[in-house]
Amino acid sequence: MPTTHSNFIDMLRQTIWAQTLTPVQMQRVEADIAEQIVQEGGFVCRKGEEVDAWLGVIDGLVKINNLSPEGKSVTFTGVPTGGWFGEGSLLKNELRKYDVIALRDSRIARMPRATFMWLLDTSLPFTRFLLMQLNERLGQFIATVEFHRLLDVDARVASCLAGLFNAHLYPGNGMHLKISQEEVGYLSGTSRQRANQALQVLEKEGLLKLDYGGITILDLDGLRQFRA
């Protein structure tokens, strides 16, 4: 069952949009929002469910995923610590069109629909944040279509990683991301072994540094523009 802890609220207050709210608005958010603990491999939410909350990754990493009619798994994007998602489905009031699966143990914030809509009605800064969020998300998905259709695996991995360092969508990363080679493979649609090869290519190009259990980005613009 969802619960809420004091350190969860502290982390929530550090999000970009929370810092734009008035004390009264933030008080309601803190009263209404709940924390959900999802273990690695577990579902944050499932395709076909009613969309009843705006979702944020307070700590962890999840993938937005779907299955084709032929049973092929398709990953649209990953959402690391600091990322929020699901606003489009809330605004359109539709059933969820994708699964969200935890790639590691994750702490998820769930803001109820009523609270989300109330913020839209009462907070101009929150509305501006969402406009930026939707615009950045659109750009991200256009890039995803490009790298699946036009790029080789090395460039796909580069584009996938660069997307995880979007300062608006995922402000919690800095230039270091705790992510495994297996997780990179999941998000870029390739095997762990092939993801490892691509990461080594990118490291030799001076674009990133591989650390134990993570990746440090050395040249984000170069990563975004990389073509093998």
Side-chain angles (χ1 to χ4, degrees), residues 3 6 13 41 44 52 78 88 100 136 162 186 191 198-199 201:
T3 56
S6 59
R13 290 172 179 170
V44 176
D52 60 358
V100 180
E136 293 289 336
Y186 282 136
S191 67
L199 289 170
V201 169

Side-chain angles (χ1 to χ4, degrees), residues 12-21 129 167-169 171:
L12 181 68
R13 290 172 179 170
Q14 297 173 19
T15 59
I16 294 175
W17 58 265
Q19 295 176 30
T20 72
L21 303 183
F129 170 86
H168 182 87
L169 293 175

Side-chain angles (χ1 to χ4, degrees), residues 26-227:
M26 194 61 198
Q27 185 177 26
R28 171 164 173 176
V29 168
E30 292 175 9
D32 293 350
I33 206 162
E35 179 183 14
Q36 177 187 17
I37 307 297
V38 183
Q39 295 183 337
E40 179 181 350
F43 284 86
V44 176
C45 51
R46 293 177 182 265
K47 180 179 179 179
E49 290 179 341
E50 180 181 355
V51 180
D52 60 358
W54 191 39
L55 304 174
V57 182
I58 296 299
D59 184 43
L61 178 65
V62 306
K63 66 174 181 176
I64 297 178
N65 189 81
N66 215 336
L67 289 176
S68 71
E70 296 77 24
K72 180 180 178 181
S73 179
V74 178
T75 297
F76 298 120
T77 189
V79 183
T81 298
W84 290 76
F85 61 95
E87 59 275 354
S89 297
L90 276 173
L91 292 169
K92 289 183 286 187
N93 194 22
E94 62 184 12
L95 298 180
R96 197 170 300 281
K97 294 186 176 181
Y98 49 78
D99 295 319
V100 180
I101 301 169
L103 292 178
R104 67 175 73 122
D105 294 351
S106 299
R107 301 171 67 186
I108 307 299
R110 303 182 64 92
M111 180 188 292
R113 169 190 289 277
T115 310
F116 176 87
M117 300 306 293
W118 177 76
L119 285 178
L120 278 180
D121 290 338
T122 61
S123 175
L124 183 57
F126 182 75
T127 302
R128 288 188 180 128
F129 170 86
L130 282 181
L131 285 173
M132 287 293 298
Q133 176 101 341
L134 292 167
N135 186 56
E136 293 289 336
R137 187 83 70 200
L138 176 61
Q140 184 183 60
F141 282 121
I142 290 173
T144 299
V145 171
E146 178 190 22
F147 80 65
H148 273 298
R149 293 186 179 181
L150 303 178
L151 306 183
D152 67 10
V153 175
D154 293 346
R156 279 166 45 194
V157 170
S159 180
C160 173
L161 286 175
L164 295 177
F165 288 88
N166 182 301
H168 182 87
L169 293 175
Y170 316 123
N173 287 331
M175 284 293 107
H176 181 79
L177 179 65
K178 293 181 180 179
I179 190 169
S180 69
Q181 294 173 5
E182 184 176 22
E183 291 167 343
V184 172
Y186 282 136
L187 297 179
S188 57
T190 191
S191 67
R192 182 189 65 79
Q193 293 83 358
R194 185 62 184 87
N196 177 45
Q197 293 174 11
L199 289 170
Q200 291 183 28
V201 169
L202 298 173
E203 185 174 42
K204 289 178 181 178
E205 291 289 329
L207 302 177
L208 54 80
K209 183 178 183 299
L210 299 176
D211 306 313
Y212 181 75
I215 295 171
T216 299
I217 302 302
L218 303 177
D219 183 354
L220 184 55
D221 287 338
L223 201 65
R224 288 170 175 156
Q225 299 167 14
F226 178 81
R227 298 294 184 270

